Each structure stands twice: as C-alpha cells, then as structure tokens.
Amino acid sequence: MSVIDRKYIKHIYLKISKKIKDFLLSEKSREFLIFLFFFLIAAGFWLLQTLNNDYEAEYSIPVRLKDVPNNVVLTSEPPSELRIRVKDKGTVLLNYMLGKSFFPVSLSFADYKGRGNHVRIYATEFERKILSQLSASSRLLSIKPDTLDYIYSTGKSKRVPVRFQGEVSAGAQYYVSDTLYKPDSVLVYAPKNILDTITTAFTQRMAYENISDTIRNQVALAYVKGAKFVPGAIELTFPVDIYTEKTVEVPLRGVNFPAGKVLRTFPSKVTVTFQVGLKRFRRIKASDFVINVSYEELLKLGSDKYTVKLKAIPHGVNQVRFTPEEVDFLIEQIPVPDEY
C-alpha cells in the first residue's frame, strides 16, 4: 500500500469520526437518546403486561417403552411422542418453550404384561407423569393421542449369520480384501411360522463407491416384519488393500497319460504374471497355480500347439497373463519296464 493510499484512508477515518462525535454531542442526539430510553422502558412494560395474560400453547413429550424382553417382538409400536396443549400465563409458557425440556413418558413393559398381546394404555394412566412436569398454575387442556397402544408376540429364537446387503467398490489399483462382521451372527426372535423362513440377517442396504481405505461402520440390520434381531446392529468392516504385480514360473503337467507316453512342452514352464494385494504378496507361490494338460484334450486339438489355461487360481489374484500364451508340445513314447 502506497503512502498516498494510507493518507487518504486516515483522512476518511478522521472525517467519519468527527461526524459521529458532532452528532453525539448535538442537541438532536440528546433528544434521540432520551426518546430511545423511554421507548425501551415502554416496550419492556408492554412486554411484561402482555406475558402476564393467559395463552394456550402446544408441546411434544417423547414416549419410551422400556424393559422389553429379548423374546418379545413388537409388531406395532406405541407412538414416539405425545402432543399436549397447555394454558397458562405467557411467562410460564415462554419458560416451557425456551428453558424447560420435558422428560419422556416411560412405560415399563412389565407393568402391562397381563393385558394380553394388544396393550392399550389410556391417558388417565400416564396423565400424572405429564402433570408432574408442569407448573402448578398450568392447566392441561388435551393430550393427543389419548391412548397409547402396542401389539406384541412372544417368539422362539435361533442364531443366523449376518450378510452385507448392497454394493461396495474400490478405487483404481485398490480392492476390498474381505467383509468382516462383528458379531458375525445374531439371535432372531419371531413366531415359529416366521422364524422358519429366516435363514440370514441382512444389513440395511448400503453403497460404498471408489473406497481407497479401510471402512468401519455401525450398520443396522434390515427390518423383517414380525421378527426381532438381537443385537439390532453390527460393526461392518471392509479392509482395503492395494494391488501390486508379481511373476512366477509354472510347469505344465500331463495328466491321464497312458503307460509309455509322456508330455513334452517347449518351453516346459510358462511365466505367469498377475495382480495381488500387498498383504498376500509373499503368500502366493508358483505351486498355488496349476496347469494340467490332459491326454484326451491334446488328442482333440489336431495341432502341435497348446493354448495355456489355468486349472486353479489362488483367491485374491486377478489380471492373470501368460508368457507365452501358446506352447509347442509332443507326446513322447517311452519304454515300459517289463513286469515280472
């Protein structure tokens, strides 16, 4: 910034400061500040007078059903909240709105166990829990809904494996090496006719795309009507590894050859190049690959060239290439020892 610019900014600042100072010291400024003072006092009195009147307001209170046994399956749950309408002075209602949070209306499953499988709880039974949270001056006008109800069944149980439901893909040069569940199985409770149809606990459908690092998430199990999974969520882990390239030499072996005949290939070994994750790099050996050439297959070729094909590929290996892709071969006759 140049010296001229600095002088200009300083000049503007001093000019504005002088105008503000002159205004505050002027007669008009004193009149304005006096007016503002009395206006604020009047507004305060008006607000207090207004809040001293009676008003009606609506609030929500959470509902919680607790102590539900594991073998109990809720086929219809109670509503998650109650809407209450309250009448009181504005100051009290403002306190409910700004400063007071209502505690949940807790219903203990054991308290209503003897009422059959369709439990109905009327407002008269939980109204006291609401009133205990209101001021003595407050009047409770209404509760909606005025009846809490739920339906349940008592189910048998069995253990089923957990399986991922969704799509997962790794970024370029990466791959998902495994899918890990913790726990890998859960208990499922349900009436017998439903329990017999459940063989697997699936996760909620998820999608992970182009991941390049290990993912670990808490995932809920998919809802099955009339059934209950314990636990209802599991820890899902996708370990991610990076691909690297490796080369091994694998021999070609003749199989099902009759006595006196052997396979000769040129070359006798092929170079196998493949991609494998860093974690498996040292564990993958040439012996993990199998190139078996059957006698019957060669007889059907009608030529002396064989296109290399793998009979076994280790888990976690892909992008397999051969050098050469074709080999020359011949079926050699060898002497058979005499049998005594």
Side-chain angles (χ1 to χ4, degrees), residues 11-146:
H11 172 73
I12 295 297
Y13 171 75
L14 292 174
K15 187 175 180 181
I16 294 173
S17 299
K18 185 175 184 305
K19 285 186 177 182
I20 293 173
K21 184 177 179 181
D22 291 343
F23 174 75
L24 292 175
L25 295 176
S26 67
E27 187 68 26
K28 288 183 178 180
S29 171
R30 287 196 294 272
E31 291 176 359
F32 173 75
L33 291 174
I34 292 170
F35 167 78
L36 183 61
F37 173 74
F38 284 107
F39 173 79
L40 292 175
I41 291 177
F45 279 118
W46 174 83
L47 182 62
L48 288 174
Q49 183 65 31
T50 301
L51 291 176
N52 204 38
N53 294 332
D54 285 345
Y55 296 94
E56 295 180 11
E58 191 172 86
Y59 306 97
S60 66
I61 298 181
V63 176
R64 301 285 184 269
L65 182 61
K66 61 180 185 179
D67 303 327
V68 180
N70 282 342
N71 67 328
V72 167
V73 180
L74 295 173
T75 56
S76 174
E77 297 192 19
S80 60
E81 67 174 22
L82 294 167
R83 302 294 299 180
I84 63 170
R85 193 158 192 83
V86 178
K87 184 175 183 179
D88 208 331
K89 295 188 181 303
T91 50
V92 178
L93 298 181
L94 188 63
N95 180 52
Y96 291 150
M97 186 183 299
L98 300 179
K100 185 179 178 64
S101 58
F102 292 100
F103 295 109
V105 172
S106 295
L107 309 173
S108 177
F109 181 86
D111 292 343
Y112 310 100
K113 193 175 180 181
R115 298 190 182 186
N117 288 56
H118 190 173
V119 177
R120 294 181 177 86
I121 307 169
Y122 300 100
T124 52
E125 299 181 67
F126 55 81
E127 184 178 3
R128 187 186 298 272
K129 295 180 180 181
I130 298 173
L131 290 172
S132 65
Q133 301 188 59
L134 300 177
S135 298
S137 60
S138 297
R139 181 183 170 191
L140 183 59
L141 300 178
S142 66
I143 304 174
K144 294 180 182 179
D146 59 1

Side-chain angles (χ1 to χ4, degrees), residues 93-286:
L93 298 181
L94 188 63
N95 180 52
Y96 291 150
M97 186 183 299
L98 300 179
K100 185 179 178 64
S101 58
F102 292 100
F103 295 109
V105 172
S106 295
L107 309 173
S108 177
F109 181 86
D111 292 343
Y112 310 100
K113 193 175 180 181
R115 298 190 182 186
N117 288 56
H118 190 173
V119 177
R120 294 181 177 86
I121 307 169
Y122 300 100
T124 52
E125 299 181 67
F126 55 81
E127 184 178 3
R128 187 186 298 272
K129 295 180 180 181
I130 298 173
L131 290 172
S132 65
Q133 301 188 59
L134 300 177
S135 298
S137 60
S138 297
R139 181 183 170 191
L140 183 59
L141 300 178
S142 66
I143 304 174
K144 294 180 182 179
D146 59 1
T147 303
L148 300 176
D149 71 320
Y150 57 90
I151 303 171
Y152 73 92
S153 63
T154 304
K156 297 181 180 296
S157 69
K158 68 178 181 182
R159 188 167 288 278
V160 294
V162 177
R163 290 292 177 268
F164 172 66
Q165 183 176 221
E167 296 79 36
V168 58
S169 64
Q173 294 301 311
Y174 293 90
Y175 76 103
V176 178
S177 61
D178 206 346
T179 303
L180 304 176
Y181 309 93
K182 187 179 179 181
D184 60 1
S185 64
V186 295
L187 281 173
V188 54
Y189 293 88
K192 188 177 185 308
N193 63 319
I194 297 177
L195 191 66
D196 290 343
T197 66
I198 300 173
T199 58
T200 306
F202 290 99
T203 65
Q204 289 185 350
R205 185 167 289 279
M206 308 290 289
Y208 303 94
E209 295 181 354
N210 297 320
I211 61 176
S212 58
D213 200 1
T214 296
I215 287 180
R216 184 177 289 106
N217 280 339
Q218 197 78 9
V219 180
L221 298 178
Y223 171 75
V224 176
K225 187 175 181 179
K228 176 183 181 181
F229 295 104
V230 178
I234 57 99
E235 185 180 88
L236 181 65
T237 303
F238 292 112
V240 174
D241 199 2
I242 188 168
Y243 276 122
T244 187
E245 198 166 81
K246 186 172 183 176
T247 299
V248 295
E249 286 192 330
V250 180
L252 289 86
R253 297 186 176 92
V255 294
N256 299 329
F257 274 67
K261 294 181 183 293
V262 294
L263 174 68
R264 304 293 186 196
T265 64
F266 308 96
S268 61
K269 295 181 180 180
V270 296
T271 300
V272 180
T273 304
F274 54 91
Q275 286 190 341
V276 64
L278 281 175
K279 293 178 182 177
R280 291 193 175 102
F281 185 85
R282 294 184 180 276
R283 297 202 297 267
I284 302 297
K285 301 179 176 63

